Amino acid sequence: MSSASSSQMGQLVADKHVRYILMAEKKKESLESVVMDHLRMNGAYWGLTTLDLLDKLGTVSEDEVVSWIMTCQHESGGFAGNTGHDPHILYTLSAVQILALFDKINILDVGKVSSYVAGLQNEDGSFSGDMWGEIDTRFSYIAICCLSILKCLDKINVEKAVEYIVSCKNLDGGFGCTPGAESHAGQIFCCVGALAITGSLHHVDKDLLGWWLCERQTKTGGLNGRPEKLPDVCYSWWVLSSLIMIDRVHWIDKAKLAKFILDCQDLDNGGISDRPEDAVDIFHTYFGVAGLSLLEYPGVKAIDPAYALPVDVINRIAFTK
Amino acid sequence: MERVIVAHICCLRKVDPWHHWRWVAEKLGPEVAGRELDCTWRVLSLDAKHYLAWSHRQWALRALGGWEDELDYCHELLEADVFNNSAWNQRYYVITQSPLLGGLEAMRESEVSYTIKAILANPANESSWRYLKGLYKDDKESWISDPSVSSVCLNVLSRTDCFHGFALSTLLDLLCDGLRPTNKHRDSVRALANEEPYTNLANLVCTILGRVDPIRANYWAWRKSKITVAAM
């Protein structure tokens, strides 16, 4: 890479991204909005967390968001992706995370929500996503992260949960969705995050996994999620946060990664895409900004790599009660 | 028919259908093994790295059987794309989990031979090099003493038409695990050196790696710092 290209690193067009997110929120009748209707809760988490990282959370109506969230709560205590849909652990975590952003966890019946989540643990320590029973280490992370925020980790069998996660560890040091499944950066983030939150990182071979993770960086500077896949901005989060949690982030070229993320911006209309020149979306906008946060990009608040929430939000939770 | 109904329900509920198919198949029993494998085959023929399809396929083999043709299926996929990491992972899954094969140690020789062929055809393939190492799980002695492992590294290093990074890092691992280098090893590596000083072989390998794989320069510098006397 020539020094000329490194000095051409773009800027983060933060204001454009803020506008993009606020406009997306308003376009409820758009095709994209309708198709993604059922995972609105995830979309809200991505959008609102990005706004907070850019210090613009105040631009949305807290009351509107919070009251909509509560309409998504099911009688079981779990949250759905949108009003009238079925509850799932995925949306339950997003709901709790959004309430944490607004410092409104206190409006929850914590006992009810935590019982819903704890009730999804299976005998082998794994977690199901909902009553239908799908098992995936993503759900282990979600349960542990959610219960930790709610300070109810003691409601589950943490030892068995850790045991199940460790059973999904592969020879390359990575983790899959179930025992034997291919190592995947997204699953690795979930497993490492869960182990970090439960104080169980000693189960990770940090050198071996660190190498697997740093091998995700392609010549473009971007990161992929598995060998021989294309780089994608979302891995800027999953690979990077994993590397930070195991103290190996210095093994990637941070400048090249930052440049890759910045090159994925739509400089005119805001938003970030999976790779340069592609269409933007909220998902990649969040992961791009979160990745830049982990890279300590100026003007972006610090994000906690395990909880995927701004550090000041996590500190506030830690010092409450 | 059940699959169509499940697909409709999942579409209405906006949920991923894989788990629901599993739920239905479990109720129907092992006679649907062929159908489940066929279903994932169809998805993988459109996207051979589809993560959920592979997860479902592993579940189907475990719960319903049908292992007989799985190794051949992996081979088919690798013929089409030797860089398909999912297929390499599945191959490993089969040789370690199939009740019809003898387990990792029994399969090692044939699999090493298979993998070396794949490496020589495409030395810049991360998956095949990792797979090779995986065949020696928990058996460092065999890993460093098998001449075919060391010689595939030397073979690749002697070529001028390919990326040397994985051959070098594999050689580095061998040295750090106790391989005693011969003059062949030293000469092979020295031929790639650009006037870099020779202190010890593992050290030189790390230096060259920092040059041929510069994006991971910090990692190779760390590896260099960890070289013990034994690897010299």
Side-chain angles (χ1 to χ4, degrees), chain B residues 133-154:
Chain B
K133 186 157 191 195
L135 294 171
Y136 295 89
K137 175 194 173 184
D138 298 334
D139 190 353
K140 228 175 244 193
E141 261 322 302
S142 301
W143 160 246
I144 61 174
S145 60
D146 188 336
S148 48
V149 176
S150 164
S151 70
V152 71
C153 296
L154 291 176

Side-chain angles (χ1 to χ4, degrees), chain A residues 119-141:
Chain A
L120 291 167
Q121 185 169 30
N122 302 303
E123 272 197 46
D124 61 359
S126 67
F127 282 84
S128 299
D130 62 9
M131 55 177 265
W132 293 95
E134 181 193 359
I135 292 171
D136 189 316
T137 47
R138 281 181 297 153
F139 307 144
S140 302
Y141 165 74

Side-chain angles (χ1 to χ4, degrees), chain B residues 83-218:
Chain B
F83 295 93
N84 185 341
N85 192 64
S86 307
W88 282 106
N89 183 77
Q90 185 72 351
R91 200 172 175 98
Y92 197 79
Y93 185 75
V94 173
I95 65 171
T96 51
Q97 304 291 322
S98 169
L100 306 175
L101 303 171
L104 183 59
E105 255 186 74
M107 296 295 293
R108 184 181 288 155
E109 200 181 319
S110 56
E111 287 302 298
V112 165
S113 177
Y114 181 88
T115 311
I116 284 177
K117 221 168 125 196
I119 288 173
L120 292 174
N122 285 282
N125 186 354
E126 183 184 347
S127 303
S128 54
W129 287 99
R130 280 190 190 277
Y131 186 80
L132 181 65
K133 186 157 191 195
L135 294 171
Y136 295 89
K137 175 194 173 184
D138 298 334
D139 190 353
K140 228 175 244 193
E141 261 322 302
S142 301
W143 160 246
I144 61 174
S145 60
D146 188 336
S148 48
V149 176
S150 164
S151 70
V152 71
C153 296
L154 291 176
N155 185 309
V156 171
L157 293 178
S158 69
R159 288 164 57 168
T160 52
D161 64 341
C162 65
F163 176 66
H164 295 126
F166 296 120
L168 285 166
S169 65
T170 301
L171 181 58
L172 179 63
D173 286 346
L174 288 166
L175 291 169
C176 293
D177 283 341
L179 173 77
R180 306 190 100 187
T182 63
N183 283 328
K184 260 194 180 162
H185 294 114
R186 292 189 194 94
D187 293 342
S188 202
V189 172
R190 275 168 135 151
L192 297 173
N194 275 1
E195 292 165 28
E196 283 122 349
Y198 183 99
T199 47
N200 65 66
L201 185 58
N203 195 293
L204 182 57
V205 171
C206 288
T207 304
I208 297 171
L209 275 164
R211 176 169 42 83
V212 309
D213 190 23
I215 212 165
R216 273 165 284 277
N218 288 346

